[in-house]
Amino acid sequence: MRNSSRSRVDPFIVMDVMEAARKAEDAGRHIIHMEVGQPSTGAPKGALAAVKTALDQDALGYTVALGLPALRQRIARMYGEWYDVDLNPERVVITPGSSGGFILAFTALFDTGDRVGIGAPGYPSYRQILSALGMVPVDLPAAPANRYQPVAEDFAGLDLAGLMVASPANPTGTMLDRDAMAALIGAAQGQGASFISDEIYHGLEYEKKAVTALEVSDDVYVINSFSKYFSMTGWRVGWMVVPEDHVRVLERIAQNMFICAPHASQVAALAAMDCDAELQGNLEVYRKNRALMLEGLPKAGFDRIAPPDGAFYVYADVSEVTQDSRAFAAEILDKAGVAVTPGLDFDPVRGATTLRFSYARATADIEEGLARLARFMQARG
C-alpha cells in the first residue's frame, strides 16, 4: 500500500541514539545516558498510592474529554500558587501528554498550508507534527547572543499564522523573562499570529522562576505536562490552558481524536501535585548535576555553552571539533560509553556542530559520564 505524503517525517534522532545505547548495553557494555530528557526518578510515591487505591475502588473507564474536574481545578489552583495568576479551571484541558496537546493546538488553530514559526534550536517534534498535519514549520534561527531564544526581529515579515516558543527551552534550558515573553506575544499578536507557549519544564528552574505566558495575556495557548517536574514521562498525561471561547473547540477535537487522557494517569497526576517535598528533592539532584556539568563540561573540552536557567540540558557548540554531530555522538558512544544527542535533532541547519547533554540521571551517573568524556576528549587530542 502507498504511504501519504504527510507521513514523510524525519526520525526523532534521540530515540535512535537510545536504541544504539540499548544495543551496546545488550552486548554487555555499561552506558551512561546523557541523551534522553527523562527524569531518573519515577512518579511520586503519593501518586502511586492513589492509583493503587483507585484500582481497588474504580473501573477506571473513560473520563470526560476535558479531563477529571478535580484535576482541572487543582491545576488552576497551581497557577495561583506558582505565578499569582487567577485561572478559571474551565480553561484547563487535560491531554495525553504534551504531544497530545501539540496535536490539539495545531489542529484547533491552523489550516493546511499555514506557516508556524518555531525557534531553532528547538524540540524536533514541533516540526514533524506540523508537517504531518499539513502545515509548514518555519525555523527561526535563534542567535547565541539571545541565548538561543527567538526575538521579534526573527519573524518580522514572515507571514506566520502562529508562533511557538518554549521556556525553559529544549535543548538549551534557557528562559524568557517577562519583558521578552511580552515582546514576543505582542509581536505575534500584532501580525495576527496565534501564540503557543510550551511550558513543560516549568518547575525545573535554578535561579529564578519561569514566566508563564498567562502572566502576560489570556489570548494564548499554554501547553504543559506531568512528564518533567512531576517525573511521570510514561504516564502520558499533560494539560493545556486556552482562551475561554476555545474550550468547546478543543473539547470537540479531543472527543474524536483521543476520547480522553488515560484515567489512571489523571488520578496519579492529581495526587502528584501534592507531593511537593519529594519533587523538590528531585530538583535538588538536578541542581547538583547542573553545577557538575557547568564545571565538568568545560574541563572536558566542551566550553562553548549557554548556561541553562532551567530544564536539565546543556547545549554545546562543538564546531571546533566536528562538522558532523551525528557521527561525533556515535564516536562518543562507541569509545566513551556515553550517549549524547546530536544537535541535528533540534536544528537541521546548524545542528551539525552542536550536541545536547542531559543531566536528568542520578548524580553518580553524571560524575562518571563527565569523567569518561574528559578521558575521551584527552585521548582524541
Side-chain angles (χ1 to χ4, degrees):
M1 290 183 285
R2 63 182 293 275
N3 291 119
S4 69
S5 59
R6 66 167 53 91
S7 69
R8 296 171 195 152
V9 298
D10 295 331
F12 197 172
I13 296 174
V14 69
M15 304 306 290
D16 291 343
V17 174
M18 287 177 64
E19 176 62 11
R22 183 195 64 79
K23 289 180 178 178
E25 288 171 327
D26 286 349
R29 296 192 63 194
H30 177 241
I31 303 299
I32 299 295
H33 291 273
M34 289 186 171
E35 83 280 30
V36 64
Q38 173 170 270
S40 57
T41 50
K45 293 180 178 61
L48 299 178
V51 172
K52 290 176 182 176
T53 299
L55 287 170
D56 289 336
Q57 299 177 353
D58 195 334
L60 296 181
Y62 296 137
T63 72
V64 294
L66 293 175
L68 293 173
L71 179 56
R72 298 169 69 199
Q73 291 163 8
R74 182 64 182 87
I75 289 170
R77 179 156 65 90
M78 186 195 75
Y79 279 89
E81 296 167 349
W82 283 19
Y83 313 103
D84 198 26
V85 168
D86 184 11
L87 179 63
N88 178 359
E90 295 297 317
R91 294 175 57 194
V92 178
V93 178
I94 307 303
T95 64
S98 64
S99 299
F102 301 144
I103 294 170
L104 288 170
F106 298 160
T107 303
L109 292 171
F110 308 125
D111 288 316
T112 299
D114 276 353
R115 293 161 50 83
V116 181
I118 53 176
Y123 181 56
S125 294
Y126 302 152
R127 185 181 303 107
Q128 310 308 337
I129 294 171
L130 285 164
S131 296
L133 293 175
M135 297 140 195
V136 181
V138 179
D139 281 337
L140 307 176
N146 295 322
R147 305 187 76 244
Y148 293 110
Q149 288 283 0
V151 295
E153 291 79 8
D154 292 336
F155 57 92
L158 291 185
D159 188 30
L160 299 181
L163 173 67
M164 180 149 200
V165 303
S167 173
N170 178 9
T172 62
T174 61
M175 297 195 312
L176 297 163
D177 62 23
R178 187 185 177 102
D179 288 345
M181 179 73 79
L184 288 172
I185 292 174
Q189 293 177 344
Q191 298 180 23
S194 300
F195 187 88
I196 307 172
S197 180
D198 179 357
E199 301 181 0
I200 190 174
Y201 293 101
H202 278 223
L204 300 177
E205 310 107 348
Y206 304 102
E207 295 175 3
K208 58 184 177 181
K209 185 67 186 165
V211 174
T212 176
L214 298 171
E215 295 178 53
V216 177
S217 173
D218 285 328
D219 194 25
V220 296
Y221 273 38
V222 165
I223 296 175
N224 208 322
S225 170
F226 288 90
S227 289
K228 307 302 182 178
Y229 175 71
F230 294 98
S231 196
M232 293 174 58
T233 51
W235 294 79
R236 310 315 304 142
V237 59
W239 75 88
M240 307 169 64
V241 181
V242 302
E244 290 185 10
D245 60 348
H246 285 234
V247 173
R248 179 57 177 164
V249 175
L250 269 299
E251 183 178 30
R252 293 197 306 264
I253 300 170
Q255 287 170 339
N256 287 283
M257 282 192 170
F258 302 113
I259 299 181
C260 64
H263 191 161
S265 298
Q266 295 187 59
V267 170
L270 178 59
M273 299 189 77
D274 291 322
C275 296
D276 200 54
E278 185 176 345
L279 297 170
Q280 286 296 307
N282 295 342
L283 179 61
E284 289 309 307
V285 173
Y286 306 142
R287 189 186 305 278
K288 183 175 182 179
N289 291 354
R290 173 179 179 264
L292 288 169
M293 295 288 276
L294 293 180
E295 178 184 5
L297 282 176
K299 286 183 178 179
F302 302 98
D303 56 358
R304 301 174 68 181
I305 58 179
D309 302 308
F312 31 52
Y313 308 116
V314 177
Y315 197 58
D317 180 341
V318 291
S319 57
E320 293 181 346
V321 182
T322 185
Q323 299 295 307
D324 186 345
S325 61
R326 195 160 190 174
F328 189 42
E331 182 185 355
I332 293 172
L333 178 62
D334 179 49
K335 295 182 178 178
V338 179
V340 300
T341 305
L344 287 167
D345 231 358
F346 313 103
D347 189 333
V349 175
R350 300 175 298 173
T353 57
T354 56
L355 293 176
R356 187 192 75 175
F357 300 87
S358 170
Y359 52 91
R361 308 290 287 195
T363 299
D365 285 347
I366 301 304
E367 291 172 333
E368 173 63 20
L370 288 168
R372 292 186 186 187
L373 289 170
R375 290 194 295 269
F376 165 78
M377 291 295 282
Q378 186 175 23
R380 199 174 190 271

